[in-house]
Every structure is written in C-alpha cells, then in structure tokens.
Amino acid sequence: MPTRFGYTLMTEQAGPKDLVRFAVGAEEVGFDFEVSSDHYFPWLSAQGHAPYAWSVLGAVAHATERVELMTYVTCPTIRYHPVIVAQKAATLQLLADDRFTLGLGSGENLNEHVVGEGWPAVADRHAMLAEAIEIIRALHRGDLVDFRGEYYQVDAARIWDLPESGVPIGVAVAGGRGIEEFGPLADHMIAVEPTRDLVETWNDTDGTGTIGVDSRAIGQIPICWDPDRDAAVARAHDQFRWFSGGWDVNADLRTTAGFAAATQYVRPGDVAESIPCGPDLDAIVEAVKPYWEAGFTDIALVQIGGEAQDEFLSAAAKPLLDKLRSASSGP
C-alpha cells in the first residue's frame, strides 16, 4: 500500500467558507485525503475560529469529487450522543459517495465541558467511547436499537438513510492498552506519534485488521511552511505552541486561557525544534519521514495559520507532495 498524504481542514484557524475553499484547492493540487478537526473551541485565542465541522464537511463533500474525507477526531460521548454521531456520519457518507471515514476519540475537556456534563476520568472516557462505538455500529447496520448500557440509553432508534457500504471507523489510540481495547472495535488506527510499536501491536492484536492490507494507520503532523522562516516560527509559536503540552496534559485543559497559561513559557525556538518551519521542503520531508518508516499508511499535514493556506496551496503543496511521494516510495 503506497503512503498517502492528506491535508488538514483545521477548523480552529479558519472560518467555514475558507475551509471549503481550502478543501477544493487541496484536492486540485493532489492531496489523497482530507481530515477535519471537530472542536467547539480553538486551543488558543490567536487561532480565532471554531465552526461546526459537520456542516463544513457536508459542504466539502459537495464541492469535491475525489479526496477521501475524515473526522480527526470526533468525540461521540459527551457533547454528542452516539446516536447523533451515527446519524450524521451516515448522512455524510451518502453526500460524499462513500469517501468518508468516521474518526473517533475520547475527546478533550476544552470541547466537551460546554454542555455542562462534567469531564470524566480517563478510564470512564474510554469505557464511554467503547459503548458509543457499539451503539454506532448497531445503528449503521440498520437495526432498530434499544440499548441500556452503563453510560447510555437508546430508545427505539433507527437511521433511515444509510449508505450501502457502511461507514468505516478509525479510533485514536496512544498505546498498547488503547489498541487492545479499541482495535477490535475499529477498522483503522489513528495516532499522532510515529511509533512502529503501535503498528506492530495493532497487527498482533486479535480482532484487528492488518495495517497496509485491510487497515490503515493514519497519522498527523503540523508544519509551518512560509517563504520567510522567521515569520513561520513566529506564526507557529503564536498559534501552535499548545502542541508542546502533549495529550496527557492537553486533554484536561478547559479553556483557551488555560492553554495560554500552560504554554506561557514555551519559546519560539522550542516550537521550531518540534515543528518544521520555513521554506525548506526537504526539512518537512525529513519531519514526516518517521511516520512511513514506522509503517503508517496515511499522513495528514497541518499547515499552521489560516492566513497561510492560500500561498501554501499555490506555491508549496504540489512540489512538497512530489518530494514526499518520491521519498516514501523508497530507492
């Protein structure tokens, strides 16, 4: 399976009409797939946006023809009840003509606290996610679902508009325990660390597909391309320094003010050490390389900065994709 490269529709850094326009541009320059974040808040106020991802994806499905689409990722447990996620995923699959994959994860306090249901401990969040996937799968089979679980109740629910091909599900995992718990429930693995152990553990776990054969390992990496390296570093620091906290910390922070306080001592140079910044496409290729070396089949790029998307897509994306495909295909 050749490595595929994706474009991230970062809802935290652009409004809905711009996101649709970027999606069309990304398809035109040759990206294989597009993933969308699904947030109620941006991480930092400097990012400045948070439109409803599912409305954006519906418009993107109509405006594009070829690229595959995916949520990266939706939390189906607190802000959304799983029956609603099942319904909108089925609808989007129909609009996208079978190009959609439902990416799921256990969520972040930043987005889920807004409905006033609290923020459970991580063990409870994982149990809620497993129960939610069970409900979504049943509804996508066309069943009339009555369900009484530990966390959810479903009363005679059915989805009336279902795609014949179903909706593939990817689940975000961070280690072996997550793979053991969620791998058998999912079609594809989502992870943000380019670790070969994740791929090998997935392949060795009973009930999972084989990555590169019938399952995909889908990663994501931020980049900050700009003709001016100093401008790229400044923009990455302004809008993406939250990335340095790691998911163990980030999942529990509640507001943009909390992210600002948690990252107040992160320096521009610190960000530049972890995110490739500037015009050097070869440096970006080197930063992405660990993913395909670890066995990931799909890698989505996050170009930082809503104001930087048009120039990135027109000037850098196509030559960057050429370099990535050449490097990932081997000698």
Side-chain angles (χ1 to χ4, degrees), residues 2-3 5 282 285-286 289 292 318-331:
T3 308
F5 297 97
D282 291 327
V285 172
E286 284 301 307
K289 183 178 179 180
W292 70 70
K318 191 175 188 307
L320 176 58
L321 285 169
D322 289 343
K323 285 178 175 288
L324 287 167
R325 288 175 177 136
S326 175
S328 62
S329 65

Side-chain angles (χ1 to χ4, degrees), residues 46 64 79 88 96 120 137 154 177 184 198 224 230 261 267 303:
T64 58
R79 181 169 43 121
K88 59 191 179 183
R137 289 289 199 192
V154 180
R177 183 175 178 181
L198 291 174
C224 196
D230 291 340
R267 300 165 298 181
Q303 164 65 2

Side-chain angles (χ1 to χ4, degrees), residues 112-182:
E112 305 308 313
H113 79 271
V114 296
V115 295
E117 295 295 327
W119 184 235
V122 63
D124 290 327
R125 300 201 302 269
H126 285 184
M128 292 170 75
L129 178 58
E131 198 168 289
I133 295 172
E134 181 181 352
I135 294 167
I136 292 167
R137 289 289 199 192
L139 286 166
H140 283 173
R141 289 193 297 266
D143 299 345
L144 181 68
V145 176
D146 282 288
F147 183 89
R148 300 294 183 274
E150 183 176 354
Y151 299 98
Y152 300 107
Q153 177 173 319
V154 180
D155 184 11
R158 178 185 172 187
I159 296 175
W160 290 86
D161 291 278
L162 277 173
E164 291 184 7
S165 63
V167 182
I169 291 177
V171 178
V173 297
R177 183 175 178 181
I179 291 172
E180 180 179 346
E181 187 171 5
F182 296 114

Side-chain angles (χ1 to χ4, degrees), residues 92-281:
L92 186 54
Q93 185 70 301
L94 290 169
L95 289 170
D97 294 323
D98 298 328
R99 291 182 285 135
F100 177 64
T101 295
L102 176 60
L104 299 175
S106 57
E108 298 174 68
N109 194 10
L110 178 71
N111 305 299
E112 305 308 313
H113 79 271
V114 296
V115 295
E117 295 295 327
W119 184 235
V122 63
D124 290 327
R125 300 201 302 269
H126 285 184
M128 292 170 75
L129 178 58
E131 198 168 289
I133 295 172
E134 181 181 352
I135 294 167
I136 292 167
R137 289 289 199 192
L139 286 166
H140 283 173
R141 289 193 297 266
D143 299 345
L144 181 68
V145 176
D146 282 288
F147 183 89
R148 300 294 183 274
E150 183 176 354
Y151 299 98
Y152 300 107
Q153 177 173 319
V154 180
D155 184 11
R158 178 185 172 187
I159 296 175
W160 290 86
D161 291 278
L162 277 173
E164 291 184 7
S165 63
V167 182
I169 291 177
V171 178
V173 297
R177 183 175 178 181
I179 291 172
E180 180 179 346
E181 187 171 5
F182 296 114
L185 304 178
D187 301 295
H188 308 297
M189 182 182 80
I190 299 169
V192 294
E193 294 290 338
T195 306
R196 178 169 289 278
D197 285 348
L198 291 174
V199 174
E200 292 176 347
T201 301
W202 179 281
N203 289 341
D204 291 340
T205 298
D206 289 340
T208 62
T210 300
I211 289 172
V213 180
D214 48 9
S215 285
R216 293 152 54 192
I218 306 155
Q220 186 183 59
I221 180 172
I223 66 172
C224 196
W225 178 88
D226 195 281
D228 183 330
R229 186 178 186 277
D230 291 340
V233 171
R235 186 169 70 244
H237 178 259
D238 182 51
Q239 297 193 23
F240 237 75
R241 65 185 182 275
W242 63 270
F243 191 70
S244 64
W247 293 109
D248 288 343
V249 174
N250 292 346
D252 287 326
L253 295 176
R254 187 169 177 267
T255 63
T256 54
F259 276 89
T263 58
Q264 62 182 311
Y265 298 115
V266 177
R267 300 165 298 181
D270 299 328
V271 175
E273 287 180 1
S274 60
I275 297 173
C277 296
D280 188 347
L281 299 183

Side-chain angles (χ1 to χ4, degrees), residues 32-45:
D32 300 303
F33 66 100
E34 298 177 3
V35 304
S36 173
S37 54
D38 184 358
H39 272 215
Y40 198 89
F41 271 79
W43 287 284
L44 294 167
S45 297

